[in-house]
């Protein structure tokens, strides 16, 4: 998912030192984040430095420094963009359910959509256990809570939690998200044939546990 001028909220959610307001600055930052993602996939996290990313992106260090001053900021921006994409996906699914309750399969369609994001986001997934900074760790925790809250809302809107009180419903949603997240990370680290089996079994297990 690229960062574009028509999605300004993406910029404010990236945790940059400063938010770029001009098109030229946004383009340079977008190029730098894309270059950093490619470097992480090709060569690993250890090669990420501001000079290396700037050179890879074809922009000057000075042009990036005010937005992405160091390795921690660059890696945090990659992860923040990934988190934002997943949260928006669930927001969209919730909105579709509210508009037309019959339009959404809360387990199958949402799981497949989330899996597609995991497949796209190889660089961000590889940073899942990397120690970036205390702020980045706090952002990860906020993301997990935000995702569990969205799953709770989604299951409520779909009627999966009918008759279940909010406290237990929140716990059910948290377990469902944490379980799916763990299996998805494992699946996309596995060979493709194994991945398909794991994803099929994940959907079966979620449907059985949620009664959906």
């Amino acid at each position: 998912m690229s960062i574009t001028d028509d999605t300004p909220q993406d910029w404010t959610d990236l945790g940059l030192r400063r938010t770029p307001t001009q098109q030229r600055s946004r383009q340079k930052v977008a190029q730098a984040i894309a270059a950093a993602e490619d470097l992480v996939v090709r060569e690993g996290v250890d090669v990420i430095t501001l000079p290396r990313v700037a050179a890879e992106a074809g922009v000057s260090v000075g042009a990036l420094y005010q937005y992405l001053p160091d390795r921690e900021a660059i890696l945090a921006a990659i992860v923040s963009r990934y988190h934002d994409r997943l949260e928006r996906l669930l927001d969209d699914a919730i909105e579709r359910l509210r508009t037309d309750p019959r339009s959404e399969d809360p387990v199958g369609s949402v799981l497949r959509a989330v899996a597609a994001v995991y497949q796209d986001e190889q660089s961000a997934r590889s940073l899942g256990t990397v120690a970036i900074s205390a702020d980045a760790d706090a952002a990860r925790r906020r993301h997990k809570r935000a995702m569990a809250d969205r799953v709770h809302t989604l299951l409520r809107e779909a009627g999966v939690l009918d008759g279940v009180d909010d406290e237990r419903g929140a716990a059910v949603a948290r377990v469902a998200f944490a379980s799916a997240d763990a299996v998805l990370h494992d699946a996309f680290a596995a060979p493709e044939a194994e991945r398909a089996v794991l994803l099929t079994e994940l959907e079966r297990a979620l449907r059985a546990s949620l009664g959906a």
Side-chain angles (χ1 to χ4, degrees):
M1 176 183 168
S2 62
I3 304 169
T4 61
D5 288 333
D6 60 350
T7 54
Q9 60 270 41
D10 287 335
W11 296 103
T12 58
D13 290 342
L14 283 176
L16 305 176
R17 173 184 275 184
R18 290 180 57 193
T19 300
T21 57
Q22 297 182 348
Q23 183 176 358
R24 185 176 179 184
S25 298
R26 290 183 172 188
Q27 181 61 34
K28 288 178 179 179
V29 174
Q31 287 175 214
I33 294 174
E37 290 175 333
D38 288 342
L39 282 170
V40 169
V41 172
R42 294 198 322 262
E43 300 182 39
V45 177
D46 292 342
V47 305
I48 298 298
T49 64
L50 179 56
R52 178 70 193 278
V53 169
E56 192 79 9
V59 301
S60 70
V61 169
L64 293 180
Y65 181 77
Q66 60 184 314
Y67 307 111
L68 297 165
D70 51 30
R71 173 183 181 274
E72 289 75 17
I74 294 166
L75 296 180
I78 293 173
V79 174
S80 293
R81 191 186 58 75
Y82 171 55
H83 289 170
D84 184 62
R85 186 177 178 187
L86 288 169
E87 289 169 23
R88 286 172 186 279
L89 186 154
L90 289 190
D91 287 340
D92 289 345
I94 291 167
E95 184 58 32
R96 288 194 299 272
L97 263 177
R98 287 173 173 166
T99 303
D100 180 1
R102 295 168 298 179
S103 68
E104 194 76 14
D105 171 4
V107 175
S109 64
V110 174
L111 181 58
R112 285 188 289 274
V114 170
V117 175
Y118 277 62
Q119 183 167 2
D120 289 346
E121 300 283 357
Q122 184 178 348
S123 60
R125 282 190 291 103
S126 70
L127 298 175
T129 58
V130 173
I132 298 174
S133 67
D135 286 345
D137 288 343
R140 283 186 180 123
R141 291 191 293 273
R142 286 194 299 272
H143 168 68
K144 289 181 183 296
R145 288 195 298 270
M147 290 293 285
D149 288 345
R150 284 167 168 81
V151 170
H152 187 194
T153 300
L154 184 69
L155 295 176
R156 281 276 181 222
E157 293 290 335
V160 174
L161 296 177
D162 287 351
V164 178
D165 64 62
D166 275 348
E167 183 176 4
R168 184 177 171 221
V172 168
R174 185 174 177 182
V175 169
F177 167 69
S179 302
D181 186 53
V183 174
L184 283 164
H185 277 281
D186 192 39
F188 283 98
E192 190 168 349
E194 291 179 29
R195 180 187 311 161
V197 173
L198 288 170
L199 293 178
T200 297
E201 181 59 22
L202 173 60
E203 181 173 345
R204 186 205 64 77
L206 287 174
R207 288 188 185 281
S209 66
L210 296 171

